Amino acid sequence: IEGLSVAVKNFETDEQKNLAAIYMAEARALRAQFYFELVRWWGNVVLMKSTEDSSLHPSKYVQSSPEEVYEFIEEDLKYAIDILPYASEDTYRADNSFRISKGAALGLLAKVYATWAGYPVRDESKWEKAASTAKILVESGRHGLLEDYEQLWKNTCNSVWDPTESLMEVSFYSPVSTGNDPVGRIGKWNGTTAEDGSGAYIKIPANWKVLPSFLANWKD
């Protein structure tokens, strides 16, 4: 993010500056998303606000309160909302499929506010902010519900990006395959091992569990 800040200042053309600014906004929205996951799972986490922070010895880290983490998330998402275009109006990126847009940042911020208002922080003043943020998104008219609900699953199975109803999706790509495993995954090696009945064993994290039989049945 610090490198992008320098890039924005050094680019010469307006097109370069606009694109760099969008990359910055995307990066900060992603950082907000990651910290949102962290604070929901663990509460008191370490806030790293600069590259220097990540170079500190672990003994130097100090946990931040959930309130501080939520404030940091809010700041990042407000920044992203101010800069990012709606997906339907994005003329800056050659392809904005599976990329963060203003609608995604607004939707995420509404969810952050609603979570902030609930357990364990219980800052009930954030309920009103959750509602007003969601209202901006709804009344923008840039997103809506698909006429055919089944289309959501058809899009997912065919890697089709349709921002009508879907605010944000994460696309995975792994250029390196291990055996019959050319996929991108989270928590790749998590999970216990289990025999398949013939003595060989496999790892069974949640997103891997069904693949062995699926591949065996469909490869021909």
Side-chain angles (χ1 to χ4, degrees):
I1 288 178
E2 290 173 352
L4 277 172
S5 295
V6 175
V8 172
K9 295 177 182 177
N10 290 341
F11 282 149
E12 297 179 357
T13 68
D14 288 340
E15 182 179 2
Q16 290 175 325
K17 291 178 180 179
N18 287 336
L19 198 55
I22 286 175
Y23 291 156
M24 168 68 80
E26 279 193 287
R28 291 187 63 167
L30 284 171
R31 182 169 66 178
Q33 168 70 46
F34 300 149
Y35 269 114
F36 187 40
E37 295 294 335
L38 289 172
V39 74
R40 284 190 294 171
W41 278 96
W42 289 287
N44 296 62
V45 298
V46 176
L47 273 177
M48 295 187 185
K49 300 182 179 181
S50 70
T51 304
E52 292 180 356
D53 288 346
S54 64
S55 302
L56 292 174
H57 188 275
S59 64
K60 302 293 184 182
Y61 291 142
V62 178
Q63 292 180 337
S64 299
S65 67
E67 290 85 348
E68 289 180 89
V69 180
Y70 276 114
E71 288 170 0
F72 189 66
I73 293 170
E74 179 187 34
E75 181 181 344
D76 269 350
L77 288 176
K78 282 185 172 180
Y79 179 94
I81 290 167
D82 284 342
I83 292 176
L84 290 171
Y86 284 104
S88 60
E89 300 175 349
D90 189 354
T91 59
Y92 301 99
R93 294 173 282 195
D95 182 8
N96 66 359
S97 301
F98 305 104
R99 302 290 291 274
I100 295 179
S101 67
K102 186 188 293 289
L106 279 165
L108 181 56
L109 182 58
K111 186 174 182 179
V112 166
Y113 281 139
T115 309
W116 195 346
Y119 177 85
V121 179
R122 299 191 187 283
D123 182 349
E124 296 193 359
S125 67
K126 298 301 184 291
W127 284 122
E128 186 175 346
K129 288 191 173 183
S132 61
T133 303
K135 183 178 181 181
I136 293 171
L137 178 59
V138 172
E139 293 185 348
S140 71
R142 277 31 173 231
H143 297 277
L145 299 179
L146 294 171
E147 293 183 7
D148 181 4
Y149 184 62
E150 290 184 4
Q151 191 63 42
L152 282 173
W153 317 113
K154 294 175 181 178
N155 289 344
T156 298
C157 292
N158 290 283
S159 296
V160 174
W161 166 243
D162 183 350
T164 303
E165 183 166 337
S166 181
L167 294 179
M168 182 165 68
E169 297 180 27
V170 179
S171 180
F172 292 96
Y173 171 69
S174 175
V176 179
S177 63
T178 304
N180 291 321
D181 182 28
V183 293
R185 296 179 296 175
I186 293 178
K188 186 170 184 179
W189 302 116
N190 288 348
T192 57
T193 58
E195 292 186 357
D196 65 2
S198 61
Y201 67 88
I202 59 172
K203 294 283 185 179
I204 50 169
N207 60 346
W208 165 252
K209 190 173 182 180
V210 300
L211 281 179
S213 61
F214 180 89
L215 290 176
N217 293 337
W218 282 77
K219 64 181 181 180
D220 297 329

